[in-house]
Each structure stands twice: as C-alpha cells, then as structure tokens.
C-alpha cells in the first residue's frame, strides 16, 4: 500500500531481464516475529556489457534491509538505492555475487502472501509476487534459477522443515535449533519457491512412474487430521498415472510433498515438489465432506500436479501469459475429472460455471482478454476468464485438431519449451507446427474480451433437399475494445430427423457424407453451410458439448426445445434444451405472464423424472432450474427479487404437480449399502437430494428433510437436508442448525458449511442474520475460508437475500474496507457484486455507486481494491 495511485503495467513494455541469477542460496532463521533471510546470488549480465552497464533491480516489499555485500565486500548505503518496492545496484559488474540480508515479521503477515504463520506453522505463498515480501529478488517469472535453501528453527516447535527439491543436509545447532538444507535441481522462477516449518503429521506413500522411478509421496497435515487424507493421496496417485497415460508426462523429482494449511487465499499452490493447499482441498472423510468436496479435492490435487509440466517445467514469460499455464491446466484437470467421473456431468458443471460467472465477468467492468494487455494488480487477474475461458480456448484447439493431433502438439510444446518461460503464442505455435495447420485466426480468442454471440438462421429447400445453416457472429464492445475482429469458432453440429435420428452429413462440394456429426468452423462474420440430400426439414443440434464459449441464439421454438429434451443424442445439449426452455418460462413470468406452470416444461420434467434408464446424475442436472445468476445474465435490467420469486413459483409448481413421482423416486433411490464415493453412488445421492429439494417446498414435507438430517451417516445427505430445511425456513430448521453446530463446531471446514448455509438463505432478514453471524465467536476476518463462507456466501450466492435491502450494499462496503486492511486479495474478491451496479434499477444502482465511491475515498486502500473499484466506476 502506498500513498501514490497504483500504476498499470503494460504487456507492450515487456523487455527481457537485464540480469540472470545463476544460483541462489537462501538461509531462513525462523522466528514468528523476526525471521532473518540471507540470500546469496550469483548474478550475470543478460546484455552485452560492452554497450554500457545497466542497473540491477531487485523487487522487495515490506522488508527490513539488514545488509548488502558484493563479492564478499560490504556495500554501504551509498552503493545501492532503496525505495518502497525496489533495491537497485546502479553499476554492477557483468558477473558478481550478491548477498542480501533482510528481516521480516511473518506473524504480522495477515495478507497471506510471502512468508506467514498459519495455525502456528510457517508457510509461504509466492505466486504471483509474494517472493519479494521474503527477500530482494528480480521477482518475475522469466528469471529462473536453481535454489538451495537452508531452514533453521527451534526443533521442538518446528520439527518438520521443508522446501523444494531434495533434502541434502540436516543437523542440530545450539539453543535447541536444528536445520535442514534442500536443493532443487530444477530451474524455477521465484513464484514457485516454497517453505514450510511446523509440527505436522506426515502420511507417506509412494508411486512408481512409467519409467520405473520410485517417487516418495508425503502429505503433511495437522495432528488429528490423519484420518482425512486417504482420498487426497489416492487422488494424487490417480493424477500421476493419468498424466502419464494421456499426456506422456512423468514426474521428475524424487519426492512430491503436499502440505495442508487452514489459512490460504485460494485453493492451492503448485510450488515445485512442495504443493501448499488450503486444507479444504485435502481433508475429507465421508462424515465431514460432501460428494462435491470429494470430487473437488480430486480435481484440485490433479490440477496442481498437472502444473508440474504445464506451469513449472514450462512456465510463463510474464504475468500477461497467466492463462498459458492456468487455461491449459484447467483444461487438463477437466479432462481428468471427466475420465474419473462422468464426462457429461463434468461438462454441464463447467459450462454452468462459465455461463453464470465468466460470462458476467466478460460483460462487466473488469472484462479482460485471456491474455490481458495491462493490469494494476496481478492478483486481480486470477479470474474465471483466465482460468475457465482460457480452458475453453484450449478445448477449442482440441476440438479443431482432434485428440491425436492435439497430443502431438502438446508433446512438441513440452519438448520445445522444457525449462523455458514462454507465451501463449508459443503454445499455439507448437500446436500449429506439430500438425502443419494455421491457427492464426485463433489469436483473437487470446486478444479480445467479451463473449461472442452466434446467431443462427436456417432454411430448408424441400425441392432441392438442401438445408442451409447461416451462422452470424458478433462480439459486444468491452472496456478499451470498442471494435472486435471475427473469431474462429468451432460449432459442432448434427441434424436430427423428426424421428430423432442423426442424419448423415454431406456438405455442398463433398462427394460423400462424412459421419453424422461435424465441426463447422466459423471464421467470417457470417458463413452459410449447405447440407445436401436432407430428406425432410431437420432440427439442428448446434454447439454440441458446448464446443465454443459463445452465446448461441439458435432460434428454437418451445416445441423444438421440448423435442431436443427428448431426442438429442448429445448429453450436454439435451440438458441445455431443458435449461433454455425453463429459462424462457421463468423470464415470461418475470415479464408478467399469468402465474401458471408451463405444460411443456412440466411434461418434460415428469418424463425425465420417471425415466430410470437415464444416469441419475444427469437426471439431477436436468431437473435443476437455471440458477438465479444465470437468469440474471440473460436479462437487460436485473431484478433479483423478481427472478427469485418467479423461479420459486416454478419450483413449487413442479413439486406440487410431480409430488408423488418425486416422493417415489426419493424412496427408491435410498442407498441400502455402505457409503461409497464412486460415480454411481454419488449420482444416486445427487438425484435423491434433488428430489428432496423439490419436496421440501411443499407443506407437510419438511419432516422428510428433518428425518434425513437425523438419519444421515454422511455429510452429503446431512448437508442436503440442512440446506433444504434452512433455505426454506422449514419447521425445526433451527433445531437442526443447533444440532449441527454442537456436533461440528470443532472442525473448521465443517463449521464453514454451517456458516455458509445460513448466509445463503434467501428468506427476508438475510442481512440481519449475516450481521449476527459476523458477531459469532467463531467468526474471524483473518481466515479466508471463514470470510468466504459468511460474506462470500451472502453477497455471491444469495442474490435475493443480498439485494433485498439497500443497506446490504453499505454493509458490504464496510466489510471490504475493514478486510482490506488485513487481506487485500480477499477484499478485492468480495467487491464482485458491487462492480455490476449498472445492471440494476436506479435506486440500487445509486447506492452501489455511492458505496464504491466511498471505498475509493478511504485513505491507503490497497492496489487490489483500488483497481477493481476504479475500473467499475469508470466503465
Ligand atoms: N497458481 C495458483 C494460484 C495463485 C494465485 C495467486 N494470487 C493456484 C492454481 O491455479 O493452481
Ligand atoms: Zn492453476
């Protein structure tokens, strides 16, 4: 935080680093209040010294400088320049050794960036720019070096001392202190550095790689949590095997360590050989974690493991390239989860996230391309756009090339760039070069923000038996980008006969049909595709499996959507047809249509509910109405209460109409056997709990939820029942809440669920309830998971509750202002709902805007909050 206004950094200003760090030797003398860091670097000019000497600039923030010496001679303060965030050696030689000693206070580090203390243990978080809060260093990802790290600490309090790589030395020191030295043989940027010290339990296992190498696997958790690690360890081994089989990627070091900590800003961090995780993505057993938690843990463990290649061995040249590692790695982890669970369910879940949250981001004031041109605070760019849209863009390349050619491309990418810091262009070029294809049109996906729209026009010529599909693309203006160039959009397409069969497809000019599913590639603003020998007018099945992150306007009638719900052979599209139909019905109600249940929707609902040949997990997805946030996305002016009310009307009406069938399915789906976390068992629970969520809308049905709550032997069923009771303010919901608290208040992750279920309850009075939760003795602003489970759940997952009372905007601004003093990264995240102020009616809009302006007037707000607020107001 500084007095002057934070400045933007631009991609166009990128220049290669002036100095390379050949090696770094770090020594940490750990003390919670005063840790001394000694850094010895061998430095070499990365320019031609004959052209004159250049200054050596090291980044550093919130450091106390103790001493500097060069080539073993002390450098007095005339020999360097120091500012708030740099240390500059003005005229160094072309090759030298530099020693810098600094002191830091990890226990005062509430921003959880750099070296900090969590639960009495030391841990680090360096991505993106946390290493500069540990020591002075050219803290940028294209400066890669070899690290040797000695960690010194009190043996009794910190028996476990970890850093990246291999343990090469250890020993005892005076005063009860001990040390361990680690050497990481890989070249790595500073953001992948990690250190952990504490009193932790170690769960050990091993993995034999495809070439027969033995890797030690070590999971470190707080004592008492050892019984919640089995799933994480199993997930790690599955991920390691999968990456060998699908991408040919083998693990390189001798040990893979994962440490779980309670205080963590995000999900996890892929530090080389020493991942640090939010304990939420490690700890699980059936009594404490839901099926969703189990699946997420498997996915995050895989994601961080996959980074070892896509991110660590091949890293980013600069932070504008963040999606190079994040988009690709999210794509890889989604393929993995699809393989481990159900491809259709995974696709539906991913697309829902994209359409509800990323589309909103792309239409809001923080909209940015997946390769941004500028940023003020890089921490604000760990976004759904970089991650999820970035993954969609990689997926489109996969769709265009097909799996074999994509693999050829990824092999070349890893081989060509191993040990390098590269750009998204390098990634695309490897895909092109490996396959002799031209993806130059594709670059707009990296450069342009905003969600493209694709409008469809269809025409059938019965006499010529020709079917014409005209696809028209456009992309709305976004901040700084008024005009957009056309993108390359793969539209996976089939044509369905009125009997539901996918027709053989022959495009005009082709001599024979090439299958019944084709990827039409839209390159121009509009393009017409002509299909020959189509015997009767078909129903087009477009954008199958959501083959591009666009808003498709298919021009379907209600009847066609109902037809697709019953006949579509693409699981994703069948689900989406139902979503689109339900969306229409709800929007019509909001616009004043008479309060009656749409017959087509109800009939389709009944048919799917009764079909026990369908995968229960998919049935559960199909029965769910579009989320309120998605409905909001599809409206010009958002009225959150009207959306909630209309959606509720449809939910209750469906529950009333299908009461018996829902109850029958609920009963039939009871799992008689022991609890298993496998796809089929999870699917049954998902559907059963979806039925319960409908049933509890009805008078007299709340006892069913209460009974399930009381009988549940696992967190999935227990939580589903609790949500059903609390969110409907059903009789005895308070009793269940109290019981849950008594049973679980000592388990922080389960207690987060208890807070979140209340903060997300939509009934009137939500603001008052949330205020009370903040006063609860178990609430703390210092733990990001707790903040997310109360403030985050209220402002981001409870649109009706949050927007009911204008005072909630003032409340949120107050919370952001106090949180910003502790943890700017988390504070900036909570701003999200206020940034959308322009989407609401005048009275909401005015208060939201005033609150944003008030935040901006607070002295010394962080660059994180400053950037989001100022961009929101400027847009
Ligand atoms: N790379 C980290 C995210 C770091 C966020 C820093 N603000 C986790 C991940 O994407 O795997
Ligand atoms: Zn990642």
């Amino acid at each position: 935080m500084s007095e002057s206004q934070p400045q933007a950094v631009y991609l166009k200003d990128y220049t290669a680093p002036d100095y390379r760090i050949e090696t770094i030797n770090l020594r940490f003398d750990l003390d919670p209040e005063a840790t001394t860091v000694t850094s010895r670097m061998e430095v070499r000019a990365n320019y031609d010294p004959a052209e004159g000497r250049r200054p050596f600039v090291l980044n550093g923030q919130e450091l106390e400088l103790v001493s500097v010496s060069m080539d073993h001679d002390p450098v007095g303060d005339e020999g360097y320049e120091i500012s708030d965030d740099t240390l500059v050696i003005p005229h160094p030689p072309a090759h030298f050794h530099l020693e810098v000693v600094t002191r830091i206070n990890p226990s005062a580090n509430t921003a959880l960036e750099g070296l900090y203390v969590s639960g009495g243990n030391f841990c680090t978080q360096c991505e993106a720019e946390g290493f500069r809060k540990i020591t002075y260093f050219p803290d940028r990802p294209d400066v890669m070096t070899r690290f040797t790290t000695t960690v010194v600490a009190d043996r009794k309090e910190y028996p476990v001392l970890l850093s990246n790589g291999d343990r090469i030395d250890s020993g005892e020191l005076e005063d009860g202190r001990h040390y361990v030295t680690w050497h990481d043989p890989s070249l790595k940027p500073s953001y992948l550095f990690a250190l952990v010290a504490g009193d932790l339990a170690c769960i050990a296992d091993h993995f034999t790689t495809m070439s027969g190498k033995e890797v030690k696997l070590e999971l470190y958790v707080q004592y008492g949590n050892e019984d919640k690690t089995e799933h994480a360890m199993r997930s790690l081994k599955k991920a390691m095997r999968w990456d060998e089989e699908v991408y040919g990627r083998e693990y390189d070091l001798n040990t893979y360590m994962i440490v779980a900590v309670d205080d963590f800003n995000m999900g996890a961090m892929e530090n080389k050989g020493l991942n640090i995780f939010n304990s939420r993505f490690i700890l699980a057993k059936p009594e404490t974690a839901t099926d969703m938690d189990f699946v997420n843990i498997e996915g995050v463990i895989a994601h961080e493991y996959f980074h070892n290649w896509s991110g660590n061995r091949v890293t980013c040249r600069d932070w504008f390239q963040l999606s190079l590692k994040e988009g690709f790695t999210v794509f890889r982890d989604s393929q993995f989860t699809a393989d481990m669970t159900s491809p259709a369910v995974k696709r539906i879940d991913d697309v829902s996230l994209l359409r509800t949250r990323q589309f909103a981001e792309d239409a809001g004031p923080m909209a940015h391309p997946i390769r941004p041109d500028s940023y003020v605070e890089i921490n604000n760019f760990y976004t759904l756009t970089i991650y999820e849209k970035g993954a969609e863009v990689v997926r489109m390349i996969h769709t265009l090339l097909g799996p074999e050619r994509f693999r050829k491309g990824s092999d070349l990418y890893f081989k060509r760039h191993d040990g390098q810091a590269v750009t998204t262009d390098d990634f695309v070029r490897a895909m092109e070069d490996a396959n002799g294809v031209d993806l130059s049109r594709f670059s707009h996906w990296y450069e342009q923000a905003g969600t493209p729209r694709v409008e469809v026009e269809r025409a059938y010529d019965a006499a010529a038996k020709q079917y014409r599909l005209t696809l028209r693309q456009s992309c709305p203006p976004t901040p700084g980008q008024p005009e957009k160039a056309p993108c390359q959009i793969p539209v996976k397409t089939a044509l369905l006969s009125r009997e539901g069969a996918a027709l053989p497809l022959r495009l005009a000019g082709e001599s024979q049909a090439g299958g019944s599913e084709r990827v039409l590639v839209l390159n121009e603003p509009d393009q017409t595709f002509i299909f020959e020998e189509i015997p009767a007018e078909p129903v087009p099945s477009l954008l199958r499996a959501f083959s591009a992150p666009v808003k498709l306007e298919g021009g379907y009638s209600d009847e066609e959507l109902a037809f697709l719900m019953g006949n579509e052979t693409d699981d994703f599209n069948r689900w989406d047809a139902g979503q689109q139909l339900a969306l229409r019905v709800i929007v019509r109600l909001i616009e004043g249509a008479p309060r009656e249940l749409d017959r087509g929707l109800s009939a389709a609902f009944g048919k799917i509910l009764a079909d026990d040949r369908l995968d229960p997990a998919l049935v559960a997805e199909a029965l769910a109405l579009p989320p309120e946030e998605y409905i909001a996305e599809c409206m010009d002016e958002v009225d959150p209460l009207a959306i909630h009310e209309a959606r509720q009307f449809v939910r209750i009406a469906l529950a009333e109409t299908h009461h018996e069938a829902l109850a029958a399915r609920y009963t039939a789906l009871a799992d008689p056997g022991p609890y298993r976390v496998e796809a089929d068992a999870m699917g049954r629970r998902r559907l059963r709990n979806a039925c319960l969520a409908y049933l509890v809308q009805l008078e007299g049905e709340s006892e069913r939820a209460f009974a399930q709550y009381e009988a549940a032997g696992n967190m999935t069923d227990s939580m589903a029942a609790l949500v059903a009771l609390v969110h409907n303010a059903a009789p005895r919901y308070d009793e269940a809440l109290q019981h849950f608290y008594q049973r679980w208040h000592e388990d922080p992750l389960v207690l987060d669920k208890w807070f979140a279920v209340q903060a997300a309850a939509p009934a009137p009075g939500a603001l008052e309830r949330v205020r009370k939760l903040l006063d609860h003795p178990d609430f703390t602003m210092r733990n990001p998971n707790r903040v997310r489970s109360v403030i985050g759940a209220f402002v981001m997952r409870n649109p009706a509750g949050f927007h009911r009372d204008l005072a909630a905007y003032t409340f949120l601004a107050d919370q952001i202002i106090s949180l910003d003093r502790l943890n700017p990264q988390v504070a900036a995240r909570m701003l999200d709902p206020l940034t959308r102020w322009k989407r609401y009616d005048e009275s909401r809009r005015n208060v939201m805007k005033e609150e944003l302006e008030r935040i901006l007037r607070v002295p010394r707000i962080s660059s994180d909050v400053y950037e989001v607020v100022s961009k929101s107001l400027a847009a």
Side-chain angles (χ1 to χ4, degrees):
M1 291 186 221
S2 73
E3 298 296 328
S4 54
Q5 261 184 15
Q7 296 297 308
V9 189
Y10 294 90
L11 170 60
K12 63 175 169 41
D13 295 338
Y14 174 83
T15 53
D18 286 336
Y19 290 88
R20 299 255 153 233
I21 313 295
E22 313 245 289
T23 57
I24 185 168
N25 220 294
L26 290 165
R27 180 189 160 102
F28 288 81
D29 285 287
L30 291 176
D31 177 285
E33 272 84 42
T35 288
T36 306
V37 185
T38 306
S39 157
R40 295 197 185 96
M41 292 165 272
E42 181 181 349
V43 189
R44 200 180 289 277
N46 190 38
Y47 59 90
D48 181 2
E51 287 168 8
R53 286 194 275 167
R54 298 191 194 165
F56 177 41
V57 181
L58 301 95
N59 309 94
Q61 273 170 16
E62 294 159 40
L63 302 172
E64 181 194 334
L65 182 62
V66 178
S67 67
V68 182
S69 37
M70 190 186 285
D71 295 326
H72 308 292
D73 292 328
V75 179
D77 50 14
E78 69 294 341
Y80 57 80
E81 290 154 14
I82 195 154
S83 76
D84 262 1
D85 40 28
T86 54
L87 169 71
V88 181
I89 312 287
H91 308 290
H95 176 229
F96 58 99
H97 290 83
L98 188 73
E99 184 193 270
V100 183
V101 182
T102 47
R103 200 165 294 131
I104 48 180
N105 181 353
S107 66
N109 183 348
T110 58
L112 314 184
E113 201 184 36
L115 179 69
Y116 65 94
V117 178
S118 169
N121 303 317
F122 288 93
C123 65
T124 53
Q125 171 55 36
C126 293
E127 186 177 1
E129 298 179 334
F131 194 71
R132 65 187 62 186
K133 293 185 165 182
I134 293 176
T135 182
Y136 285 102
F137 191 79
D139 190 15
R140 40 186 286 172
D142 56 352
V143 173
M144 298 171 85
T145 186
R146 291 206 162 77
F147 284 72
T148 305
T149 305
T150 299
V151 189
V152 184
D154 183 84
R155 173 180 270 290
K156 251 181 59 210
E157 275 187 80
Y158 309 103
V160 175
L161 305 177
L162 308 175
S163 190
N164 320 82
D166 298 313
R167 184 191 306 249
I168 55 166
D169 191 15
S170 62
E172 302 302 318
L173 299 167
E174 68 285 3
D175 300 336
R177 289 170 84 77
H178 70 145
Y179 75 94
V180 178
T181 301
W182 294 82
H183 175 71
D184 186 352
S186 25
L187 261 186
K188 71 163 177 287
S190 49
Y191 84 84
L192 291 174
F193 170 81
L195 176 156
V196 170
D199 191 9
L200 296 161
C202 173
I203 291 86
D205 206 328
H206 58 94
F207 179 82
T208 312
T209 71
M210 60 184 181
S211 71
K213 195 175 123 132
E214 278 295 304
V215 178
K216 282 191 282 171
L217 309 178
E218 297 178 350
L219 238 163
Y220 292 87
V221 298
Q222 268 170 21
Y223 283 103
N225 283 331
E226 297 92 318
D227 63 337
K228 297 183 199 152
T229 55
E230 201 184 300
H231 178 69
M233 188 64 93
R234 195 176 34 239
S235 303
L236 174 60
K237 289 191 272 186
K238 281 191 194 168
M240 293 177 89
R241 190 62 72 213
W242 186 91
D243 211 18
E244 292 182 342
E245 286 168 358
V246 180
Y247 280 87
R249 299 295 112 201
E250 188 175 355
Y251 186 61
D252 45 6
L253 298 176
N254 301 315
T255 316
Y256 193 84
M257 297 174 278
I258 297 181
V259 181
V261 302
D262 286 342
D263 305 285
F264 207 66
N265 281 348
M266 348 46 77
M269 180 63 211
E270 70 264 24
N271 315 303
K272 184 76 188 185
L274 176 55
N275 287 186
I276 298 180
F277 268 64
N278 186 328
S279 53
R280 170 171 142 68
F281 290 109
I282 294 289
L283 303 179
K285 58 180 180 181
E287 298 78 43
T288 62
T290 63
D291 290 340
M292 189 79 86
D293 294 328
F294 277 93
V295 172
N296 289 341
I297 287 170
E298 186 175 81
V300 177
I301 294 223
H303 178 97
E304 306 311 331
Y305 175 72
F306 297 158
H307 268 316
N308 191 52
W309 274 96
S310 49
N312 300 4
R313 288 186 69 139
V314 182
T315 194
C316 303
R317 188 191 72 175
D318 52 69
W319 293 120
F320 300 102
Q321 319 298 330
L322 183 56
S323 200
L324 172 77
K325 72 177 179 82
E326 296 306 346
F328 187 21
T329 306
V330 171
F331 173 66
R332 277 151 55 67
D333 84 52
S334 71
Q335 286 180 298
F336 167 78
T337 298
D339 283 356
M340 298 298 129
T341 58
S342 142
V345 170
K346 176 62 177 158
R347 192 67 192 131
I348 289 168
D349 291 347
D350 284 352
V351 175
S352 304
L353 177 69
L354 190 84
R355 289 202 302 210
T356 47
R357 306 238 177 237
Q358 194 279 326
F359 280 15
E361 185 171 279
D362 232 351
M366 281 294 287
H368 53 277
I370 66 171
R371 192 194 60 201
D373 302 314
S374 73
Y375 58 80
V376 172
E377 174 50 64
I378 186 56
N379 284 324
N380 286 330
F381 285 76
Y382 287 77
T383 57
L384 289 148
T385 300
I386 301 291
Y387 276 68
E388 310 302 326
K389 186 176 181 182
E392 291 299 322
V393 169
V394 175
R395 174 181 294 273
M396 285 189 285
I397 299 180
H398 187 273
T399 301
L400 290 166
L401 295 177
E404 282 91 34
R405 294 199 299 165
F406 184 85
R407 170 67 193 270
K408 270 173 81 182
S410 70
D411 282 352
L412 179 64
Y413 169 71
F414 289 127
K415 186 165 168 234
R416 191 184 262 177
H417 298 297
D418 194 6
Q420 297 178 0
V422 302
T423 65
T424 55
D425 289 340
D426 293 318
F427 178 80
V428 177
R429 198 164 308 117
M431 290 288 161
E432 291 180 319
D433 292 352
N435 296 294
V437 293
D438 176 8
L439 293 170
S440 50
R441 261 300 174 77
F442 208 74
S443 59
H444 299 309
W445 281 112
Y446 285 90
E447 292 156 5
Q448 292 182 165
T451 306
R453 271 167 52 141
V454 174
E455 281 169 274
V456 183
E457 211 181 281
R458 356 174 191 149
Y460 181 65
D461 180 340
K465 295 203 181 332
Q466 261 187 355
Y467 188 67
R468 300 163 75 92
L469 271 179
T470 301
L471 306 180
R472 198 163 286 127
Q473 64 165 306
S474 60
C475 185
T478 47
Q481 293 187 330
E483 303 287 337
K484 303 292 166 86
C487 284
Q488 186 168 39
I489 303 177
V491 183
K492 205 183 261 186
T493 302
L495 299 180
L496 304 179
S497 74
R498 297 283 153 178
E499 292 72 45
L503 300 167
L505 300 180
R506 180 163 74 83
L507 283 164
E510 294 176 343
S511 57
Q512 57 184 59
S516 56
E517 183 180 82
R518 299 290 285 268
V519 178
L520 308 178
V521 183
L522 176 61
N523 273 311
E524 307 303 326
D526 59 86
Q527 245 166 290
T528 300
F529 300 87
I530 303 169
F531 297 91
E532 306 283 6
E533 279 174 279
I534 302 297
E537 179 160 13
V539 177
S541 161
L542 299 163
L543 208 69
R544 302 190 116 197
F546 203 68
S547 59
V550 300
K551 290 186 180 168
L552 179 80
E553 275 148 43
Y556 291 111
S557 65
D558 286 6
E559 291 66 34
E560 284 176 319
L561 289 176
F563 168 84
L564 290 171
M565 285 172 79
N567 295 286
E568 197 22 307
T569 48
D570 180 80
D571 285 334
F572 173 83
N573 270 12
R574 193 174 54 235
W575 168 80
D576 197 32
Q579 294 289 296
Q580 298 311 318
L581 185 59
L583 180 67
R584 270 182 204 183
V585 167
I586 295 169
V587 170
R588 280 179 209 141
L589 289 171
I590 296 169
E591 289 168 352
R595 286 274 179 272
E596 52 198 45
L597 179 60
D598 181 86
R599 281 217 230 120
L601 182 68
S602 178
F605 185 98
K607 218 169 133 193
I608 292 170
L609 179 62
D611 192 341
D612 51 20
R613 291 158 313 169
L614 294 172
D615 172 7
L618 277 177
V619 175
E621 297 274 16
L623 298 184
L625 295 174
E628 290 172 29
E629 295 89 332
Y630 181 56
I631 303 167
E633 252 326 276
C634 303
M635 307 202 61
D636 292 328
E637 187 176 276
V638 181
D639 181 344
L641 298 182
I643 291 174
H644 178 74
E645 197 270 328
R647 187 175 179 275
Q648 267 312 98
F649 170 80
V650 177
R651 275 182 94 193
I652 296 169
L654 286 170
E656 279 165 352
T657 313
H658 301 280
H659 189 167
E660 252 172 67
L662 285 162
R665 229 83 225 227
Y666 176 84
T667 310
L669 283 162
D671 199 342
Y675 179 89
R676 289 178 304 120
V677 231
E678 267 139 58
D680 64 317
M682 291 194 296
R684 288 169 68 94
R685 282 192 289 274
R686 190 158 174 169
L687 179 54
R688 186 164 188 259
N689 286 322
C691 293
L692 179 71
Y694 275 103
L695 287 165
V696 78
Q697 309 290 319
L698 304 174
E699 202 79 43
E701 279 286 359
S702 66
E703 264 313 310
R704 191 191 295 270
F706 198 85
Q708 174 170 322
Y709 175 77
E710 285 198 303
N714 63 77
M715 188 51 73
T716 306
D717 290 336
S718 167
M719 221 32 229
L722 190 66
V723 169
L725 291 168
V726 175
H727 286 200
N728 292 291
R732 300 179 74 186
Y733 83 88
D734 216 31
E735 201 180 321
L737 271 178
Q738 278 178 34
H739 175 269
F740 193 91
Y741 180 81
Q742 287 312 328
R743 169 128 193 240
W744 295 115
H745 66 105
E746 273 161 13
D747 184 321
L749 295 174
V750 185
L751 192 55
D752 285 337
K753 296 181 194 298
W754 181 83
F755 274 108
V757 65
Q758 298 177 73
L767 176 59
E768 279 324 301
R769 289 194 302 272
V770 170
R771 280 192 207 279
K772 282 212 188 85
L773 291 177
L774 291 192
D775 289 335
H776 193 281
D778 289 312
F779 181 79
T780 165
M781 277 289 208
R782 288 179 186 248
N783 178 268
N785 287 352
R786 194 59 44 89
V787 170
R788 285 185 279 258
S789 68
V790 180
I791 303 174
F794 176 50
V795 308
M796 285 185 243
R797 286 191 279 133
N798 186 359
F802 175 61
H803 291 280
R804 184 171 277 115
D805 189 345
L806 295 181
Y809 306 146
T810 308
F811 163 85
L812 175 56
D814 288 341
Q815 301 312 317
I816 288 168
I817 292 167
S818 32
L819 189 55
D820 192 40
R821 295 186 195 114
L822 293 170
N823 189 329
Q825 256 182 68
V826 177
R829 298 266 152 171
M830 296 297 140
L831 274 164
D832 193 70
L834 292 179
T835 66
R836 314 243 188 271
W837 60 280
K838 286 200 172 150
R839 304 287 317 278
Y840 298 93
D841 63 82
E842 204 183 336
S843 57
R844 288 196 172 97
R845 204 156 61 210
N846 288 341
V847 181
M848 289 168 124
K849 183 162 176 270
E850 278 163 26
E851 293 302 332
L852 286 169
E853 286 163 345
R854 178 163 71 94
I855 296 173
L856 209 55
R857 285 195 303 270
V858 173
R860 296 167 61 84
I861 55 166
S862 65
S863 54
D864 308 60
V865 167
Y866 169 83
E867 176 172 36
V868 179
V869 175
S870 57
K871 285 184 175 170
S872 307
L873 288 169

